[in-house]
Amino acid sequence: MIIRQSIALNIALSLAIVPIAFADQAVLIGGGYDLHSSKAQIEEDMLWAQDSLESLGIPTTVYFTDGDDPAEDVHYISTGEEYNSPFEAISRVYGEHLTDRIRSRNHNLKNVVGSTNAEELKNGLSQFLSEAEQSTLLLFNGHGTSSNDASHQAGITLWNNSNIKADELQSVLKNANKPIRYVFSQCYSGGFNSMVFDNPTEGLTLSGQQICGVTASSPYRTSEACSAQLDGGNYRDYATFMIAAVSGYDRKGEILPRAADMDNDGLVSLREAHMFSMETAFSTDIAYASSDYYLERWQPWYLKWLPTPRALPNNEFARVFRALASEHNMPLEGNVAKTIRSALTDAEQSLDKLIETYLETKLEQTEQQQAIKLELEAKWPALGQPYTNEFKKLISGDSFVQISQWVSQHSGYDTLIELQTRSSSLNNEMLEAERYAAQLEKMLHMRKLAHLKQQLYQQGSSDEIASYERLIVCEKAPISK
Amino acid sequence: MRVLPFIIFSLLVGALIAITAWPLFVASGALLSHWLGEGSILDTVNTVPKQTIIDEFWFGYQQSIVIAIGLGLLAALDYFLLSRNRITWTIAGLSLPLACIGLVFGFYKEPGPLLPTFVMTGVGLFILYRFADLIGRLFSR
């Protein structure tokens, strides 16, 4: 009888501690502010996020650029034989080698319920959240704006060049009756962490509603999302790392080397996904969870200017730091922080050199283009006078193919191809160098957070510690069902 | 030196200490952070707009004003009582580093790691105090 009661109690207890699914539904918001800024990579990442979330049983609702308008709203580079254009040589002289492959089309996302036009999005979201009977995961994938004066004035740039600032979005989210978690990957997204506070501008009192999240950067830093390209593949926005951590597969469909579920409870929380992404993401992002933002906002004036001890406290940030240091062969003995800072200076100097070489190559490229253009326009003067009748006649006939052939046989054309290939490869090298520098900065950031957390528990009041822990509890709710 | 001018000069020394206490504290913290390679300020300088850093510095100045005035009054009293006598002059100003050490133990729950910055600030204030004393003596001749 006693054994039975004990089993029943255990079952009851285990049922009571089954976590409520973190995201019962997801709202994906994304795209550029106009056709030109609405790169295909944003759409590609959103499609992947949508598929991954739905395969986890989380229904999605999408707000994307112009909504369900069939007009073109995605800008991409076409590949494949059908686009082997005879005009490549001309586009190399008048632009870049991929210029004549740029195309536009309508998006391919499912469940698009509206446009991201600021007013439409605010109204749509308000209504959606007020009617929501489940917790919501809010994902934004697009562009952001900064405000050096006040971090809560950071914004997201939306369709038709409209904008929603962090404090405006906070007012919209207040319509929700259920918990909200957000993952924002745009530049300066850290400013949106101010939404977790009752007063976004000052104070440490948390908002009455349950809201927390992760952003790809601080309020003052750009993110990898800013480097979104047209040709896909190389751009790694933070949300994709988060989704990969939850689904167990990366964007290419490869299984992750290990699970993000650190406490082995079979569920991946927002916090676990964030810590896993911090550890494994080789990108330019230095992400912030809302609790990290709380720690920075909490740090009182009398601690802000003080040095921190060399020995790292034993917490989750220190663990991520050690993993990053080991991954990037950073020796842990001696004065680690100084070693990292020195490596960072070297990395920044290498990056500066790369930028310098890139600019020189670009200049050479422009000069080479100019030289070919001069000869070209001497032979076909209408080329230098676009929008004229002569130009119209030229492009409507077969002359363009002849011109392109003439260019491809020009003595300087091979040099131009070489310069364009070199500048493109330098561009990739710069991105890699930036990513490496970001790993070093991330290590320092993790050390800073490790110390900050210890400072809070040593010097903070019990109310301050309770607020921090409330955010941690919110972040620890699982994403996957 | 007569009593009234001496009181006035003591108060001037106190004002100097009160005004410079916070900047010296920040400078000590930044210098030690640089030497040790670790401290919030090192990361802040590279990641936060300069204006925000200036605002935070100014905010700290305002918040610390009561403590700075306390240190200033202590310096004035110390100067008034100890600097006129050749024997007591040798220890004049030492109350400042001692007060700084007292502050770290009274103000922080975990004073150990913070002690060096406070000692350095105290020593900095002591040097300033002695410098003011030297100037005062030069002008009183």
Side-chain angles (χ1 to χ4, degrees):
Chain A
M1 183 68 177
I2 291 168
I3 294 169
R4 256 192 228 160
Q5 274 179 342
S6 157
I7 292 169
L9 186 67
N10 276 336
I11 292 169
L13 276 173
S14 60
L15 284 175
I17 58 163
V18 167
I20 301 155
F22 150 58
D24 293 304
Q25 58 184 354
V27 175
L28 313 184
I29 305 164
Y33 42 87
D34 58 15
L35 177 60
H36 182 74
S37 68
S38 200
K39 314 272 200 244
Q41 280 197 328
I42 298 175
E43 184 212 29
E44 210 175 281
D45 284 351
M46 283 185 73
L47 271 167
W48 178 74
Q50 188 174 33
D51 287 346
S52 302
L53 289 168
E54 290 195 342
S55 68
L56 291 166
I58 300 167
T60 59
T61 303
V62 179
Y63 290 87
F64 190 79
T65 57
D66 59 3
D68 51 11
D69 188 331
E72 293 169 343
D73 57 359
V74 172
H75 199 52
Y76 71 105
I77 291 215
S78 61
T79 49
E81 275 179 36
E82 60 180 301
Y83 296 111
N84 262 341
S85 160
F87 307 125
E88 186 184 323
I90 298 185
S91 70
R92 278 187 182 275
V93 173
Y94 283 89
E96 291 295 332
H97 65 295
L98 294 173
T99 309
D100 77 320
R101 288 191 189 177
I102 296 173
R103 304 281 184 277
S104 307
R105 58 166 168 75
N106 190 22
H107 64 79
N108 291 321
L109 287 150
K110 299 168 288 177
N111 310 336
V112 178
V113 296
S115 153
T116 59
N117 215 318
E119 283 313 308
E120 196 183 326
L121 178 65
K122 280 197 272 186
N123 293 335
L125 261 183
S126 290
Q127 199 185 339
F128 181 89
L129 293 171
S130 64
E131 289 167 4
E133 288 172 359
Q134 299 159 313
S135 64
T136 305
L137 169 66
L138 203 63
L139 251 106
F140 179 76
N141 194 322
H143 303 280
T145 54
S146 71
S147 169
N148 278 352
D149 302 332
S151 57
H152 66 278
Q153 288 287 304
I156 47 178
T157 320
L158 300 161
W159 192 243
N160 275 341
N161 281 300
S162 54
N163 193 290
I164 297 182
K165 297 205 182 304
D167 49 357
E168 288 177 272
L169 185 63
Q170 185 185 28
S171 308
V172 172
L173 300 187
K174 277 184 176 160
N175 291 302
N177 302 312
K178 296 288 173 184
I180 291 181
R181 275 86 181 183
Y182 55 85
V183 178
F184 286 174
S185 51
Q186 77 277 16
C187 291
Y188 316 108
S189 46
F192 281 80
N193 284 315
S194 62
M195 296 192 302
V196 304
F197 293 99
D198 188 38
N199 179 350
T201 51
E202 58 182 14
L204 289 166
T205 311
L206 295 182
S207 159
Q209 67 178 151
Q210 201 183 349
I211 177 169
C212 62
V214 172
T215 59
S217 68
S218 81
Y220 311 109
R221 193 182 156 97
T222 57
S223 68
E224 180 114 354
C226 289
S227 65
Q229 292 164 359
L230 291 164
D231 53 347
N234 202 20
Y235 153 64
R236 304 161 185 173
D237 99 72
Y238 197 72
T240 62
F241 287 104
M242 292 287 291
I243 300 292
V246 177
S247 69
Y249 293 90
D250 70 11
R251 228 172 34 154
K252 291 172 188 159
E254 297 289 327
I255 195 158
L256 299 182
R258 62 180 179 79
D261 176 22
M262 289 172 200
D263 56 8
N264 295 315
D265 63 351
L267 297 161
V268 179
S269 68
L270 184 75
R271 188 162 182 80
E272 281 173 325
H274 167 59
M275 295 311 260
F276 182 80
S277 305
M278 283 301 274
E279 193 180 314
T280 55
F282 188 73
S283 75
T284 61
D285 292 334
I286 298 177
Y288 273 70
S290 42
S291 56
D292 303 343
Y293 186 80
Y294 180 92
L295 284 177
E296 287 201 349
R297 185 147 152 172
W298 163 80
Q299 194 180 32
W301 59 272
Y302 50 86
L303 288 173
K304 255 190 178 100
W305 309 88
L306 293 170
T308 37
R310 201 179 282 183
L312 216 51
N314 190 15
N315 56 35
E316 67 275 30
F317 300 113
R319 193 192 59 72
V320 174
F321 161 74
R322 281 190 287 271
L324 279 168
S326 151
E327 173 72 26
H328 298 285
N329 305 317
M330 206 48 69
L332 288 173
E333 63 272 9
N335 191 332
V336 193
K338 271 205 154 176
T339 313
I340 299 170
R341 279 184 207 285
S342 151
L344 182 60
T345 309
D346 292 346
E348 282 168 346
Q349 280 170 354
S350 305
L351 181 62
D352 286 346
K353 272 185 199 157
L354 275 173
I355 294 172
E356 207 178 302
T357 317
Y358 174 76
L359 292 175
E360 282 167 8
T361 312
K362 273 293 207 192
L363 188 67
E364 266 184 76
Q365 182 190 312
T366 314
E367 283 168 358
Q368 190 67 18
Q369 283 173 319
Q370 209 57 38
I372 300 176
K373 253 192 243 175
L374 272 176
E375 286 183 47
L376 197 58
E377 286 168 17
K379 206 167 165 59
W380 287 280
L383 278 174
Q385 296 149 353
Y387 317 115
T388 61
N389 201 36
E390 287 303 304
F391 184 78
K392 201 176 157 191
K393 268 195 242 167
L394 189 75
I395 58 168
S396 57
D398 288 337
S399 315
F400 247 50
V401 180
Q402 280 175 36
I403 296 168
S404 203
Q405 277 169 353
W406 182 89
V407 172
S408 56
Q409 281 155 14
H410 188 279
S411 59
Y413 184 62
D414 287 344
T415 314
L416 180 62
I417 292 178
E418 196 194 311
L419 285 168
Q420 283 174 337
T421 311
R422 204 193 306 164
S423 63
S424 168
S425 108
L426 278 166
N427 207 10
N428 288 335
E429 279 180 52
M430 284 184 328
L431 184 58
E432 285 302 296
E434 258 185 82
R435 282 174 178 160
Y436 176 66
Q439 303 316 299
L440 298 168
E441 285 182 72
K442 216 191 304 183
M443 286 180 216
L444 294 169
H445 182 60
M446 285 293 109
R447 288 182 71 86
K448 179 183 169 182
L449 289 176
H451 286 301
L452 266 176
K453 185 177 176 183
Q454 195 188 37
Q455 281 182 347
L456 173 72
Y457 280 88
Q458 284 176 345
Q459 315 281 353
S461 70
S462 53
D463 281 352
E464 289 164 347
I465 294 170
S467 293
Y468 175 71
E469 286 177 350
R470 203 181 117 195
L471 282 175
I472 296 285
V473 167
C474 175
E475 290 166 11
K476 276 189 174 172
I479 296 181
S480 55
K481 287 187 180 179
Chain B
M1 208 187 267
R2 282 175 299 157
V3 175
L4 187 62
F6 192 67
I7 290 174
I8 292 170
F9 191 75
S10 300
L11 288 173
L12 278 177
V13 172
L16 176 75
I17 295 300
I19 289 166
T20 53
W22 176 249
L24 259 174
F25 174 73
V26 171
S28 306
L31 207 62
L32 279 173
S33 299
H34 182 71
W35 280 339
L36 298 167
E38 201 132 45
S40 300
I41 181 66
L42 295 181
D43 302 302
T44 308
V45 163
N46 296 322
T47 54
V48 171
K50 298 284 171 282
Q51 189 55 48
T52 309
I53 299 173
I54 293 167
D55 291 345
E56 283 178 359
F57 175 82
W58 184 238
F59 179 73
Y61 215 138
Q62 290 166 316
Q63 294 296 307
S64 65
I65 201 77
V66 176
I67 300 164
I69 288 173
L71 281 171
L73 286 173
L74 176 73
L77 191 67
D78 179 297
Y79 193 82
F80 183 76
L81 294 176
L82 305 177
S83 67
R84 276 194 293 186
N85 183 299
R86 274 190 188 177
I87 298 166
T88 55
W89 177 84
T90 52
I91 56 158
L94 280 176
S95 61
L96 291 171
L98 289 174
C100 286
I101 292 167
L103 268 177
V104 72
F105 281 99
F107 207 57
Y108 295 90
K109 289 178 194 163
E110 292 287 332
L114 316 172
L115 194 58
T117 310
F118 279 80
V119 170
M120 199 163 159
T121 309
V123 171
L125 290 175
F126 171 74
I127 292 169
L128 259 181
Y129 171 102
R130 287 296 188 141
F131 183 70
D133 175 53
L134 186 74
I135 300 283
R137 281 173 200 282
L138 283 174
F139 280 93
S140 65
R141 277 179 192 168

